[in-house]
Amino acid sequence: MNSSSGASERAGASAGSAAATGSTAAAAAAGSEAAACASAPLTARPWQDRPGARLSGSCDLDTRQCMFAALGVVTAIPGPVVHLDLSAVVYLDTAAVAALVGASAALGGQGRRLLLHNPPYSFRKVVEMFPDECAALEVAA
């Protein structure tokens, strides 16, 4: 999966420039990350009406590097609240939920929040199994 590790490196560069130029650039970078990971069944697109991104596909072992790259870009989006739409995600494994916990903690350390929208059933099941570890995750009503 050389393309995935390359995508991860590109995400780091994108994240740095996104923080400097604002949420539009970060959203565009999230879209370019989806293109970099086109071989995997996971995509990330900018969320047009709020600072954040929309993920679609499956977040599992095969797409883990794409997920990490997308979260790196998403956490670089400026603003007090960063939104992540998961309505088109069909599956999140435990490692993907752990990555969301890590992203939420990273933003929380900066006094910011990661707000998840419409997570799939698999997310809810992981949260039920690991309630203490997932307590920091915030889901929109």
PDB file of all heavy atoms in Angstrom, residues 83-128:
ATOM      1  N   HIS A  83     -16.621  19.789  12.138  1.00  0.00           N
ATOM      2  CA  HIS A  83     -17.704  18.824  11.922  1.00  0.00           C
ATOM      3  C   HIS A  83     -17.227  17.677  11.051  1.00  0.00           C
ATOM      4  O   HIS A  83     -16.475  17.885  10.096  1.00  0.00           O
ATOM      5  CB  HIS A  83     -18.886  19.516  11.249  1.00  0.00           C
ATOM      6  CG  HIS A  83     -19.435  20.647  12.056  1.00  0.00           C
ATOM      7  ND1 HIS A  83     -20.466  20.488  12.938  1.00  0.00           N
ATOM      8  CD2 HIS A  83     -19.067  21.949  12.125  1.00  0.00           C
ATOM      9  CE1 HIS A  83     -20.731  21.647  13.516  1.00  0.00           C
ATOM     10  NE2 HIS A  83     -19.890  22.552  13.044  1.00  0.00           N
ATOM     11  N   LEU A  84     -17.701  16.485  11.365  1.00  0.00           N
ATOM     12  CA  LEU A  84     -17.385  15.307  10.565  1.00  0.00           C
ATOM     13  C   LEU A  84     -18.678  14.537  10.323  1.00  0.00           C
ATOM     14  O   LEU A  84     -19.271  13.998  11.251  1.00  0.00           O
ATOM     15  CB  LEU A  84     -16.354  14.429  11.272  1.00  0.00           C
ATOM     16  CG  LEU A  84     -15.737  13.306  10.450  1.00  0.00           C
ATOM     17  CD1 LEU A  84     -15.036  13.842   9.203  1.00  0.00           C
ATOM     18  CD2 LEU A  84     -14.761  12.513  11.293  1.00  0.00           C
ATOM     19  N   ASP A  85     -19.124  14.541   9.070  1.00  0.00           N
ATOM     20  CA  ASP A  85     -20.357  13.851   8.687  1.00  0.00           C
ATOM     21  C   ASP A  85     -20.018  12.406   8.346  1.00  0.00           C
ATOM     22  O   ASP A  85     -19.229  12.142   7.450  1.00  0.00           O
ATOM     23  CB  ASP A  85     -20.994  14.542   7.487  1.00  0.00           C
ATOM     24  CG  ASP A  85     -22.280  13.871   7.036  1.00  0.00           C
ATOM     25  OD1 ASP A  85     -22.855  13.075   7.809  1.00  0.00           O
ATOM     26  OD2 ASP A  85     -22.720  14.150   5.911  1.00  0.00           O
ATOM     27  N   LEU A  86     -20.633  11.489   9.076  1.00  0.00           N
ATOM     28  CA  LEU A  86     -20.394  10.056   8.879  1.00  0.00           C
ATOM     29  C   LEU A  86     -21.615   9.346   8.300  1.00  0.00           C
ATOM     30  O   LEU A  86     -21.682   8.122   8.305  1.00  0.00           O
ATOM     31  CB  LEU A  86     -19.997   9.413  10.215  1.00  0.00           C
ATOM     32  CG  LEU A  86     -18.761  10.000  10.896  1.00  0.00           C
ATOM     33  CD1 LEU A  86     -18.601   9.420  12.291  1.00  0.00           C
ATOM     34  CD2 LEU A  86     -17.526   9.765  10.057  1.00  0.00           C
ATOM     35  N   SER A  87     -22.575  10.097   7.780  1.00  0.00           N
ATOM     36  CA  SER A  87     -23.830   9.493   7.314  1.00  0.00           C
ATOM     37  C   SER A  87     -23.630   8.523   6.156  1.00  0.00           C
ATOM     38  O   SER A  87     -24.440   7.611   5.972  1.00  0.00           O
ATOM     39  CB  SER A  87     -24.842  10.575   6.926  1.00  0.00           C
ATOM     40  OG  SER A  87     -24.348  11.375   5.878  1.00  0.00           O
ATOM     41  N   ALA A  88     -22.584   8.689   5.374  1.00  0.00           N
ATOM     42  CA  ALA A  88     -22.330   7.792   4.251  1.00  0.00           C
ATOM     43  C   ALA A  88     -21.283   6.724   4.572  1.00  0.00           C
ATOM     44  O   ALA A  88     -20.838   5.995   3.689  1.00  0.00           O
ATOM     45  CB  ALA A  88     -21.907   8.589   3.022  1.00  0.00           C
ATOM     46  N   VAL A  89     -20.880   6.639   5.835  1.00  0.00           N
ATOM     47  CA  VAL A  89     -19.933   5.602   6.255  1.00  0.00           C
ATOM     48  C   VAL A  89     -20.740   4.362   6.620  1.00  0.00           C
ATOM     49  O   VAL A  89     -21.666   4.426   7.429  1.00  0.00           O
ATOM     50  CB  VAL A  89     -19.082   6.072   7.454  1.00  0.00           C
ATOM     51  CG1 VAL A  89     -18.236   4.944   8.011  1.00  0.00           C
ATOM     52  CG2 VAL A  89     -18.203   7.245   7.043  1.00  0.00           C
ATOM     53  N   VAL A  90     -20.396   3.243   6.009  1.00  0.00           N
ATOM     54  CA  VAL A  90     -21.143   2.014   6.257  1.00  0.00           C
ATOM     55  C   VAL A  90     -20.580   1.212   7.424  1.00  0.00           C
ATOM     56  O   VAL A  90     -21.301   0.423   8.034  1.00  0.00           O
ATOM     57  CB  VAL A  90     -21.214   1.123   4.990  1.00  0.00           C
ATOM     58  CG1 VAL A  90     -22.025   1.817   3.910  1.00  0.00           C
ATOM     59  CG2 VAL A  90     -19.841   0.774   4.479  1.00  0.00           C
ATOM     60  N   TYR A  91     -19.301   1.428   7.756  1.00  0.00           N
ATOM     61  CA  TYR A  91     -18.686   0.641   8.820  1.00  0.00           C
ATOM     62  C   TYR A  91     -17.485   1.370   9.385  1.00  0.00           C
ATOM     63  O   TYR A  91     -16.673   1.934   8.643  1.00  0.00           O
ATOM     64  CB  TYR A  91     -18.245  -0.731   8.277  1.00  0.00           C
ATOM     65  CG  TYR A  91     -17.561  -1.596   9.300  1.00  0.00           C
ATOM     66  CD1 TYR A  91     -18.285  -2.230  10.300  1.00  0.00           C
ATOM     67  CD2 TYR A  91     -16.181  -1.770   9.272  1.00  0.00           C
ATOM     68  CE1 TYR A  91     -17.650  -3.020  11.255  1.00  0.00           C
ATOM     69  CE2 TYR A  91     -15.541  -2.563  10.217  1.00  0.00           C
ATOM     70  CZ  TYR A  91     -16.286  -3.180  11.205  1.00  0.00           C
ATOM     71  OH  TYR A  91     -15.660  -3.959  12.143  1.00  0.00           O
ATOM     72  N   LEU A  92     -17.372   1.365  10.720  1.00  0.00           N
ATOM     73  CA  LEU A  92     -16.192   1.856  11.428  1.00  0.00           C
ATOM     74  C   LEU A  92     -15.709   0.740  12.336  1.00  0.00           C
ATOM     75  O   LEU A  92     -16.470   0.257  13.185  1.00  0.00           O
ATOM     76  CB  LEU A  92     -16.543   3.065  12.304  1.00  0.00           C
ATOM     77  CG  LEU A  92     -16.834   4.393  11.629  1.00  0.00           C
ATOM     78  CD1 LEU A  92     -17.467   5.359  12.618  1.00  0.00           C
ATOM     79  CD2 LEU A  92     -15.569   4.988  11.067  1.00  0.00           C
ATOM     80  N   ASP A  93     -14.460   0.313  12.181  1.00  0.00           N
ATOM     81  CA  ASP A  93     -13.943  -0.695  13.104  1.00  0.00           C
ATOM     82  C   ASP A  93     -13.428  -0.001  14.372  1.00  0.00           C
ATOM     83  O   ASP A  93     -13.473   1.224  14.489  1.00  0.00           O
ATOM     84  CB  ASP A  93     -12.886  -1.576  12.435  1.00  0.00           C
ATOM     85  CG  ASP A  93     -11.578  -0.875  12.111  1.00  0.00           C
ATOM     86  OD1 ASP A  93     -11.401   0.312  12.461  1.00  0.00           O
ATOM     87  OD2 ASP A  93     -10.710  -1.526  11.497  1.00  0.00           O
ATOM     88  N   THR A  94     -12.976  -0.792  15.331  1.00  0.00           N
ATOM     89  CA  THR A  94     -12.548  -0.222  16.608  1.00  0.00           C
ATOM     90  C   THR A  94     -11.362   0.721  16.449  1.00  0.00           C
ATOM     91  O   THR A  94     -11.275   1.736  17.142  1.00  0.00           O
ATOM     92  CB  THR A  94     -12.194  -1.329  17.622  1.00  0.00           C
ATOM     93  OG1 THR A  94     -11.229  -2.208  17.041  1.00  0.00           O
ATOM     94  CG2 THR A  94     -13.417  -2.112  18.027  1.00  0.00           C
ATOM     95  N   ALA A  95     -10.467   0.421  15.530  1.00  0.00           N
ATOM     96  CA  ALA A  95      -9.320   1.304  15.308  1.00  0.00           C
ATOM     97  C   ALA A  95      -9.767   2.650  14.733  1.00  0.00           C
ATOM     98  O   ALA A  95      -9.200   3.698  15.066  1.00  0.00           O
ATOM     99  CB  ALA A  95      -8.301   0.642  14.378  1.00  0.00           C
ATOM    100  N   ALA A  96     -10.782   2.634  13.876  1.00  0.00           N
ATOM    101  CA  ALA A  96     -11.304   3.884  13.326  1.00  0.00           C
ATOM    102  C   ALA A  96     -11.952   4.718  14.428  1.00  0.00           C
ATOM    103  O   ALA A  96     -11.764   5.945  14.483  1.00  0.00           O
ATOM    104  CB  ALA A  96     -12.299   3.591  12.212  1.00  0.00           C
ATOM    105  N   VAL A  97     -12.686   4.076  15.311  1.00  0.00           N
ATOM    106  CA  VAL A  97     -13.287   4.805  16.437  1.00  0.00           C
ATOM    107  C   VAL A  97     -12.180   5.334  17.350  1.00  0.00           C
ATOM    108  O   VAL A  97     -12.254   6.474  17.828  1.00  0.00           O
ATOM    109  CB  VAL A  97     -14.294   3.920  17.194  1.00  0.00           C
ATOM    110  CG1 VAL A  97     -14.822   4.647  18.433  1.00  0.00           C
ATOM    111  CG2 VAL A  97     -15.458   3.529  16.276  1.00  0.00           C
ATOM    112  N   ALA A  98     -11.145   4.553  17.568  1.00  0.00           N
ATOM    113  CA  ALA A  98     -10.003   5.023  18.368  1.00  0.00           C
ATOM    114  C   ALA A  98      -9.345   6.234  17.708  1.00  0.00           C
ATOM    115  O   ALA A  98      -8.928   7.170  18.405  1.00  0.00           O
ATOM    116  CB  ALA A  98      -8.993   3.900  18.566  1.00  0.00           C
ATOM    117  N   ALA A  99      -9.260   6.235  16.388  1.00  0.00           N
ATOM    118  CA  ALA A  99      -8.702   7.389  15.673  1.00  0.00           C
ATOM    119  C   ALA A  99      -9.584   8.621  15.870  1.00  0.00           C
ATOM    120  O   ALA A  99      -9.073   9.739  16.028  1.00  0.00           O
ATOM    121  CB  ALA A  99      -8.547   7.063  14.194  1.00  0.00           C
ATOM    122  N   LEU A 100     -10.896   8.432  15.879  1.00  0.00           N
ATOM    123  CA  LEU A 100     -11.811   9.545  16.152  1.00  0.00           C
ATOM    124  C   LEU A 100     -11.612  10.065  17.580  1.00  0.00           C
ATOM    125  O   LEU A 100     -11.630  11.279  17.803  1.00  0.00           O
ATOM    126  CB  LEU A 100     -13.259   9.119  15.934  1.00  0.00           C
ATOM    127  CG  LEU A 100     -13.674   8.834  14.498  1.00  0.00           C
ATOM    128  CD1 LEU A 100     -15.078   8.232  14.465  1.00  0.00           C
ATOM    129  CD2 LEU A 100     -13.601  10.099  13.658  1.00  0.00           C
ATOM    130  N   VAL A 101     -11.418   9.159  18.524  1.00  0.00           N
ATOM    131  CA  VAL A 101     -11.143   9.555  19.911  1.00  0.00           C
ATOM    132  C   VAL A 101      -9.860  10.372  19.961  1.00  0.00           C
ATOM    133  O   VAL A 101      -9.794  11.421  20.614  1.00  0.00           O
ATOM    134  CB  VAL A 101     -11.056   8.326  20.842  1.00  0.00           C
ATOM    135  CG1 VAL A 101     -10.522   8.710  22.214  1.00  0.00           C
ATOM    136  CG2 VAL A 101     -12.412   7.644  20.962  1.00  0.00           C
ATOM    137  N   GLY A 102      -8.828   9.924  19.261  1.00  0.00           N
ATOM    138  CA  GLY A 102      -7.563  10.653  19.227  1.00  0.00           C
ATOM    139  C   GLY A 102      -7.699  12.036  18.604  1.00  0.00           C
ATOM    140  O   GLY A 102      -7.140  13.017  19.110  1.00  0.00           O
ATOM    141  N   ALA A 103      -8.452  12.123  17.515  1.00  0.00           N
ATOM    142  CA  ALA A 103      -8.670  13.416  16.865  1.00  0.00           C
ATOM    143  C   ALA A 103      -9.450  14.349  17.776  1.00  0.00           C
ATOM    144  O   ALA A 103      -9.135  15.543  17.888  1.00  0.00           O
ATOM    145  CB  ALA A 103      -9.407  13.218  15.543  1.00  0.00           C
ATOM    146  N   SER A 104     -10.452  13.802  18.455  1.00  0.00           N
ATOM    147  CA  SER A 104     -11.238  14.605  19.391  1.00  0.00           C
ATOM    148  C   SER A 104     -10.366  15.103  20.538  1.00  0.00           C
ATOM    149  O   SER A 104     -10.463  16.265  20.947  1.00  0.00           O
ATOM    150  CB  SER A 104     -12.410  13.769  19.923  1.00  0.00           C
ATOM    151  OG  SER A 104     -13.173  14.511  20.828  1.00  0.00           O
ATOM    152  N   ALA A 105      -9.499  14.243  21.052  1.00  0.00           N
ATOM    153  CA  ALA A 105      -8.595  14.631  22.141  1.00  0.00           C
ATOM    154  C   ALA A 105      -7.612  15.703  21.680  1.00  0.00           C
ATOM    155  O   ALA A 105      -7.318  16.646  22.429  1.00  0.00           O
ATOM    156  CB  ALA A 105      -7.848  13.409  22.664  1.00  0.00           C
ATOM    157  N   ALA A 106      -7.107  15.560  20.457  1.00  0.00           N
ATOM    158  CA  ALA A 106      -6.173  16.555  19.929  1.00  0.00           C
ATOM    159  C   ALA A 106      -6.838  17.924  19.823  1.00  0.00           C
ATOM    160  O   ALA A 106      -6.252  18.943  20.209  1.00  0.00           O
ATOM    161  CB  ALA A 106      -5.641  16.115  18.566  1.00  0.00           C
ATOM    162  N   LEU A 107      -8.060  17.947  19.317  1.00  0.00           N
ATOM    163  CA  LEU A 107      -8.783  19.215  19.225  1.00  0.00           C
ATOM    164  C   LEU A 107      -9.136  19.743  20.614  1.00  0.00           C
ATOM    165  O   LEU A 107      -9.048  20.944  20.866  1.00  0.00           O
ATOM    166  CB  LEU A 107     -10.046  19.046  18.376  1.00  0.00           C
ATOM    167  CG  LEU A 107      -9.812  18.885  16.880  1.00  0.00           C
ATOM    168  CD1 LEU A 107     -11.104  18.527  16.170  1.00  0.00           C
ATOM    169  CD2 LEU A 107      -9.208  20.148  16.292  1.00  0.00           C
ATOM    170  N   GLY A 108      -9.531  18.844  21.520  1.00  0.00           N
ATOM    171  CA  GLY A 108      -9.866  19.248  22.879  1.00  0.00           C
ATOM    172  C   GLY A 108      -8.694  19.891  23.587  1.00  0.00           C
ATOM    173  O   GLY A 108      -8.862  20.828  24.367  1.00  0.00           O
ATOM    174  N   GLY A 109      -7.488  19.409  23.307  1.00  0.00           N
ATOM    175  CA  GLY A 109      -6.285  19.990  23.886  1.00  0.00           C
ATOM    176  C   GLY A 109      -6.025  21.408  23.407  1.00  0.00           C
ATOM    177  O   GLY A 109      -5.285  22.152  24.035  1.00  0.00           O
ATOM    178  N   GLN A 110      -6.666  21.776  22.298  1.00  0.00           N
ATOM    179  CA  GLN A 110      -6.542  23.128  21.748  1.00  0.00           C
ATOM    180  C   GLN A 110      -7.756  23.986  22.116  1.00  0.00           C
ATOM    181  O   GLN A 110      -7.923  25.090  21.599  1.00  0.00           O
ATOM    182  CB  GLN A 110      -6.426  23.075  20.227  1.00  0.00           C
ATOM    183  CG  GLN A 110      -5.271  22.276  19.717  1.00  0.00           C
ATOM    184  CD  GLN A 110      -5.365  22.037  18.208  1.00  0.00           C
ATOM    185  OE1 GLN A 110      -6.211  22.588  17.516  1.00  0.00           O
ATOM    186  NE2 GLN A 110      -4.488  21.191  17.696  1.00  0.00           N
ATOM    187  N   GLY A 111      -8.646  23.430  22.959  1.00  0.00           N
ATOM    188  CA  GLY A 111      -9.852  24.158  23.318  1.00  0.00           C
ATOM    189  C   GLY A 111     -10.906  24.145  22.220  1.00  0.00           C
ATOM    190  O   GLY A 111     -11.771  25.011  22.165  1.00  0.00           O
ATOM    191  N   ARG A 112     -10.815  23.146  21.334  1.00  0.00           N
ATOM    192  CA  ARG A 112     -11.756  23.034  20.217  1.00  0.00           C
ATOM    193  C   ARG A 112     -12.514  21.719  20.334  1.00  0.00           C
ATOM    194  O   ARG A 112     -12.214  20.908  21.192  1.00  0.00           O
ATOM    195  CB  ARG A 112     -10.990  23.119  18.892  1.00  0.00           C
ATOM    196  CG  ARG A 112     -10.223  24.410  18.798  1.00  0.00           C
ATOM    197  CD  ARG A 112      -9.319  24.568  17.594  1.00  0.00           C
ATOM    198  NE  ARG A 112      -9.035  23.386  16.856  1.00  0.00           N
ATOM    199  CZ  ARG A 112      -8.973  23.327  15.521  1.00  0.00           C
ATOM    200  NH1 ARG A 112      -9.160  24.388  14.807  1.00  0.00           N
ATOM    201  NH2 ARG A 112      -8.683  22.216  14.910  1.00  0.00           N
ATOM    202  N   ARG A 113     -13.497  21.507  19.457  1.00  0.00           N
ATOM    203  CA  ARG A 113     -14.334  20.306  19.520  1.00  0.00           C
ATOM    204  C   ARG A 113     -14.441  19.644  18.154  1.00  0.00           C
ATOM    205  O   ARG A 113     -14.463  20.328  17.133  1.00  0.00           O
ATOM    206  CB  ARG A 113     -15.753  20.675  19.968  1.00  0.00           C
ATOM    207  CG  ARG A 113     -15.827  21.255  21.324  1.00  0.00           C
ATOM    208  CD  ARG A 113     -17.198  21.815  21.703  1.00  0.00           C
ATOM    209  NE  ARG A 113     -18.338  21.163  21.106  1.00  0.00           N
ATOM    210  CZ  ARG A 113     -19.403  21.811  20.630  1.00  0.00           C
ATOM    211  NH1 ARG A 113     -19.468  23.126  20.678  1.00  0.00           N
ATOM    212  NH2 ARG A 113     -20.413  21.145  20.138  1.00  0.00           N
ATOM    213  N   LEU A 114     -14.556  18.318  18.179  1.00  0.00           N
ATOM    214  CA  LEU A 114     -14.894  17.536  16.986  1.00  0.00           C
ATOM    215  C   LEU A 114     -16.322  17.071  17.177  1.00  0.00           C
ATOM    216  O   LEU A 114     -16.628  16.389  18.156  1.00  0.00           O
ATOM    217  CB  LEU A 114     -13.963  16.323  16.832  1.00  0.00           C
ATOM    218  CG  LEU A 114     -14.274  15.396  15.661  1.00  0.00           C
ATOM    219  CD1 LEU A 114     -14.091  16.118  14.326  1.00  0.00           C
ATOM    220  CD2 LEU A 114     -13.386  14.157  15.720  1.00  0.00           C
ATOM    221  N   LEU A 115     -17.203  17.463  16.270  1.00  0.00           N
ATOM    222  CA  LEU A 115     -18.611  17.109  16.365  1.00  0.00           C
ATOM    223  C   LEU A 115     -18.948  16.121  15.250  1.00  0.00           C
ATOM    224  O   LEU A 115     -18.817  16.442  14.065  1.00  0.00           O
ATOM    225  CB  LEU A 115     -19.480  18.359  16.265  1.00  0.00           C
ATOM    226  CG  LEU A 115     -20.978  18.185  16.487  1.00  0.00           C
ATOM    227  CD1 LEU A 115     -21.260  17.572  17.868  1.00  0.00           C
ATOM    228  CD2 LEU A 115     -21.684  19.525  16.357  1.00  0.00           C
ATOM    229  N   LEU A 116     -19.347  14.921  15.644  1.00  0.00           N
ATOM    230  CA  LEU A 116     -19.670  13.857  14.690  1.00  0.00           C
ATOM    231  C   LEU A 116     -21.156  13.905  14.354  1.00  0.00           C
ATOM    232  O   LEU A 116     -21.998  14.091  15.234  1.00  0.00           O
ATOM    233  CB  LEU A 116     -19.316  12.498  15.285  1.00  0.00           C
ATOM    234  CG  LEU A 116     -17.881  12.343  15.797  1.00  0.00           C
ATOM    235  CD1 LEU A 116     -17.713  10.996  16.478  1.00  0.00           C
ATOM    236  CD2 LEU A 116     -16.896  12.510  14.652  1.00  0.00           C
ATOM    237  N   HIS A 117     -21.461  13.707  13.077  1.00  0.00           N
ATOM    238  CA  HIS A 117     -22.846  13.717  12.610  1.00  0.00           C
ATOM    239  C   HIS A 117     -23.193  12.365  11.998  1.00  0.00           C
ATOM    240  O   HIS A 117     -22.448  11.846  11.158  1.00  0.00           O
ATOM    241  CB  HIS A 117     -23.046  14.811  11.548  1.00  0.00           C
ATOM    242  CG  HIS A 117     -22.825  16.187  12.068  1.00  0.00           C
ATOM    243  ND1 HIS A 117     -23.842  16.985  12.516  1.00  0.00           N
ATOM    244  CD2 HIS A 117     -21.678  16.910  12.215  1.00  0.00           C
ATOM    245  CE1 HIS A 117     -23.350  18.146  12.914  1.00  0.00           C
ATOM    246  NE2 HIS A 117     -22.036  18.118  12.741  1.00  0.00           N
ATOM    247  N   ASN A 118     -24.318  11.806  12.393  1.00  0.00           N
ATOM    248  CA  ASN A 118     -24.892  10.591  11.800  1.00  0.00           C
ATOM    249  C   ASN A 118     -23.929   9.407  11.708  1.00  0.00           C
ATOM    250  O   ASN A 118     -23.740   8.839  10.632  1.00  0.00           O
ATOM    251  CB  ASN A 118     -25.446  10.907  10.406  1.00  0.00           C
ATOM    252  CG  ASN A 118     -26.436  12.035  10.424  1.00  0.00           C
ATOM    253  OD1 ASN A 118     -27.379  12.009  11.188  1.00  0.00           O
ATOM    254  ND2 ASN A 118     -26.201  13.048   9.601  1.00  0.00           N
ATOM    255  N   PRO A 119     -23.333   9.007  12.823  1.00  0.00           N
ATOM    256  CA  PRO A 119     -22.422   7.851  12.755  1.00  0.00           C
ATOM    257  C   PRO A 119     -23.194   6.562  12.482  1.00  0.00           C
ATOM    258  O   PRO A 119     -24.377   6.462  12.814  1.00  0.00           O
ATOM    259  CB  PRO A 119     -21.782   7.825  14.144  1.00  0.00           C
ATOM    260  CG  PRO A 119     -22.753   8.514  15.028  1.00  0.00           C
ATOM    261  CD  PRO A 119     -23.441   9.543  14.182  1.00  0.00           C
ATOM    262  N   PRO A 120     -22.525   5.582  11.887  1.00  0.00           N
ATOM    263  CA  PRO A 120     -23.197   4.315  11.570  1.00  0.00           C
ATOM    264  C   PRO A 120     -23.420   3.454  12.813  1.00  0.00           C
ATOM    265  O   PRO A 120     -22.862   3.711  13.888  1.00  0.00           O
ATOM    266  CB  PRO A 120     -22.217   3.633  10.607  1.00  0.00           C
ATOM    267  CG  PRO A 120     -20.891   4.158  11.003  1.00  0.00           C
ATOM    268  CD  PRO A 120     -21.136   5.588  11.432  1.00  0.00           C
ATOM    269  N   TYR A 121     -24.189   2.425  12.640  1.00  0.00           N
ATOM    270  CA  TYR A 121     -24.520   1.491  13.713  1.00  0.00           C
ATOM    271  C   TYR A 121     -23.261   0.910  14.354  1.00  0.00           C
ATOM    272  O   TYR A 121     -23.182   0.772  15.578  1.00  0.00           O
ATOM    273  CB  TYR A 121     -25.397   0.373  13.148  1.00  0.00           C
ATOM    274  CG  TYR A 121     -25.743  -0.697  14.149  1.00  0.00           C
ATOM    275  CD1 TYR A 121     -26.698  -0.475  15.130  1.00  0.00           C
ATOM    276  CD2 TYR A 121     -25.101  -1.934  14.109  1.00  0.00           C
ATOM    277  CE1 TYR A 121     -27.017  -1.451  16.055  1.00  0.00           C
ATOM    278  CE2 TYR A 121     -25.418  -2.923  15.035  1.00  0.00           C
ATOM    279  CZ  TYR A 121     -26.373  -2.684  16.005  1.00  0.00           C
ATOM    280  OH  TYR A 121     -26.674  -3.645  16.913  1.00  0.00           O
ATOM    281  N   SER A 122     -22.254   0.589  13.543  1.00  0.00           N
ATOM    282  CA  SER A 122     -21.025  -0.002  14.081  1.00  0.00           C
ATOM    283  C   SER A 122     -20.337   0.936  15.067  1.00  0.00           C
ATOM    284  O   SER A 122     -19.742   0.486  16.049  1.00  0.00           O
ATOM    285  CB  SER A 122     -20.068  -0.380  12.948  1.00  0.00           C
ATOM    286  OG  SER A 122     -19.765   0.748  12.148  1.00  0.00           O
ATOM    287  N   PHE A 123     -20.430   2.237  14.843  1.00  0.00           N
ATOM    288  CA  PHE A 123     -19.872   3.221  15.781  1.00  0.00           C
ATOM    289  C   PHE A 123     -20.555   3.100  17.129  1.00  0.00           C
ATOM    290  O   PHE A 123     -19.905   3.040  18.177  1.00  0.00           O
ATOM    291  CB  PHE A 123     -20.051   4.639  15.205  1.00  0.00           C
ATOM    292  CG  PHE A 123     -19.725   5.736  16.176  1.00  0.00           C
ATOM    293  CD1 PHE A 123     -18.427   6.199  16.307  1.00  0.00           C
ATOM    294  CD2 PHE A 123     -20.713   6.323  16.956  1.00  0.00           C
ATOM    295  CE1 PHE A 123     -18.119   7.214  17.203  1.00  0.00           C
ATOM    296  CE2 PHE A 123     -20.423   7.332  17.850  1.00  0.00           C
ATOM    297  CZ  PHE A 123     -19.118   7.781  17.966  1.00  0.00           C
ATOM    298  N   ARG A 124     -21.879   3.058  17.109  1.00  0.00           N
ATOM    299  CA  ARG A 124     -22.640   2.958  18.357  1.00  0.00           C
ATOM    300  C   ARG A 124     -22.296   1.676  19.112  1.00  0.00           C
ATOM    301  O   ARG A 124     -22.223   1.675  20.343  1.00  0.00           O
ATOM    302  CB  ARG A 124     -24.136   3.064  18.072  1.00  0.00           C
ATOM    303  CG  ARG A 124     -24.529   4.454  17.585  1.00  0.00           C
ATOM    304  CD  ARG A 124     -26.030   4.638  17.502  1.00  0.00           C
ATOM    305  NE  ARG A 124     -26.695   3.786  16.533  1.00  0.00           N
ATOM    306  CZ  ARG A 124     -26.835   4.065  15.247  1.00  0.00           C
ATOM    307  NH1 ARG A 124     -26.346   5.184  14.771  1.00  0.00           N
ATOM    308  NH2 ARG A 124     -27.465   3.237  14.442  1.00  0.00           N
ATOM    309  N   LYS A 125     -22.090   0.587  18.402  1.00  0.00           N
ATOM    310  CA  LYS A 125     -21.744  -0.676  19.052  1.00  0.00           C
ATOM    311  C   LYS A 125     -20.366  -0.596  19.714  1.00  0.00           C
ATOM    312  O   LYS A 125     -20.178  -1.091  20.821  1.00  0.00           O
ATOM    313  CB  LYS A 125     -21.795  -1.844  18.064  1.00  0.00           C
ATOM    314  CG  LYS A 125     -23.175  -2.135  17.507  1.00  0.00           C
ATOM    315  CD  LYS A 125     -24.245  -2.265  18.573  1.00  0.00           C
ATOM    316  CE  LYS A 125     -24.160  -3.520  19.373  1.00  0.00           C
ATOM    317  NZ  LYS A 125     -25.217  -3.647  20.402  1.00  0.00           N
ATOM    318  N   VAL A 126     -19.400   0.020  19.048  1.00  0.00           N
ATOM    319  CA  VAL A 126     -18.064   0.176  19.638  1.00  0.00           C
ATOM    320  C   VAL A 126     -18.144   1.060  20.885  1.00  0.00           C
ATOM    321  O   VAL A 126     -17.536   0.755  21.913  1.00  0.00           O
ATOM    322  CB  VAL A 126     -17.057   0.747  18.613  1.00  0.00           C
ATOM    323  CG1 VAL A 126     -15.733   1.108  19.277  1.00  0.00           C
ATOM    324  CG2 VAL A 126     -16.825  -0.245  17.472  1.00  0.00           C
ATOM    325  N   VAL A 127     -18.910   2.140  20.802  1.00  0.00           N
ATOM    326  CA  VAL A 127     -19.059   3.032  21.954  1.00  0.00           C
ATOM    327  C   VAL A 127     -19.711   2.293  23.122  1.00  0.00           C
ATOM    328  O   VAL A 127     -19.319   2.486  24.280  1.00  0.00           O
ATOM    329  CB  VAL A 127     -19.857   4.296  21.568  1.00  0.00           C
ATOM    330  CG1 VAL A 127     -20.227   5.119  22.795  1.00  0.00           C
ATOM    331  CG2 VAL A 127     -19.053   5.136  20.588  1.00  0.00           C
ATOM    332  N   GLU A 128     -20.668   1.419  22.830  1.00  0.00           N
ATOM    333  CA  GLU A 128     -21.294   0.620  23.891  1.00  0.00           C
ATOM    334  C   GLU A 128     -20.283  -0.324  24.552  1.00  0.00           C
ATOM    335  O   GLU A 128     -20.328  -0.542  25.752  1.00  0.00           O
ATOM    336  CB  GLU A 128     -22.449  -0.209  23.330  1.00  0.00           C
ATOM    337  CG  GLU A 128     -23.695   0.583  23.041  1.00  0.00           C
ATOM    338  CD  GLU A 128     -24.786  -0.265  22.400  1.00  0.00           C
ATOM    339  OE1 GLU A 128     -24.674  -1.520  22.401  1.00  0.00           O
ATOM    340  OE2 GLU A 128     -25.744   0.321  21.878  1.00  0.00           O
TER     341      GLU A 128
END
